[in-house]
Amino acid sequence: MTQYLLSIYQPDGEPPPPEQLQKVMQDMHAFITDAQAQGAWVFNGGLFPPSSATVVRHRAGEALLTDGPFTEGKEHLGGFIIIRAADVDGALAWAARLAKVVTLPGDAAGLPIEVRPLAHSSAS
């Protein structure tokens, strides 16, 4: 089986209100529990806001450290899940379920989920 990175992108700015975020977190816990039960789950993690990032570059023989994210935009990587799936269709099915989990009530678009296979990730 191949491992896939499911990246969750969220808009910059304030997080959703606690009553909406609580529901998303409950649904996320159920999603992870189901992925574990089905043997698809490998690892997941949420990230602190982009303001907590440090970028490290190698320049002129030294490490150059700068504050903030590598790129600036209107959204940022908020978290990720690594899953195992037999093929890309299986990974896309998990991503579709995840996209539903992270969609707030009344939000027609929802958060985007990027699906990308990990290089050399075939594992049993």
Side-chain angles (χ1 to χ4, degrees):
M1 295 191 120
T2 301
Q3 294 180 351
Y4 293 86
L5 172 67
L6 308 183
S7 301
I8 305 165
Y9 288 91
Q10 63 189 63
D12 287 341
E14 293 298 314
E19 61 275 5
Q20 288 183 339
L21 193 54
Q22 181 180 3
K23 170 81 167 99
V24 169
M25 296 311 293
Q26 288 172 344
D27 292 349
M28 181 64 78
H29 178 73
F31 176 87
I32 297 297
T33 300
D34 188 38
Q36 289 171 329
Q38 294 191 41
W41 180 87
V42 175
F43 180 78
N44 68 282
L47 301 172
F48 282 101
S51 61
S52 68
T54 301
V55 177
V56 181
R57 291 185 175 91
H58 183 82
R59 287 229 174 110
E62 294 185 27
L64 173 67
L65 283 68
T66 55
D67 291 337
F70 175 67
T71 60
E72 291 188 28
K74 295 181 180 177
E75 57 187 26
H76 60 273
L77 181 62
F80 61 91
I81 299 173
I82 298 175
I83 60 156
R84 285 184 205 91
D87 54 32
V88 71
D89 290 334
L92 292 173
W94 280 106
R97 289 181 58 193
L98 180 58
K100 184 176 179 182
V101 165
V102 297
T103 298
L104 297 173
D107 184 0
L111 299 181
I113 308 298
E114 179 182 347
V115 178
R116 191 183 298 191
L118 274 64
H120 310 293
S121 69
S122 295
S124 50

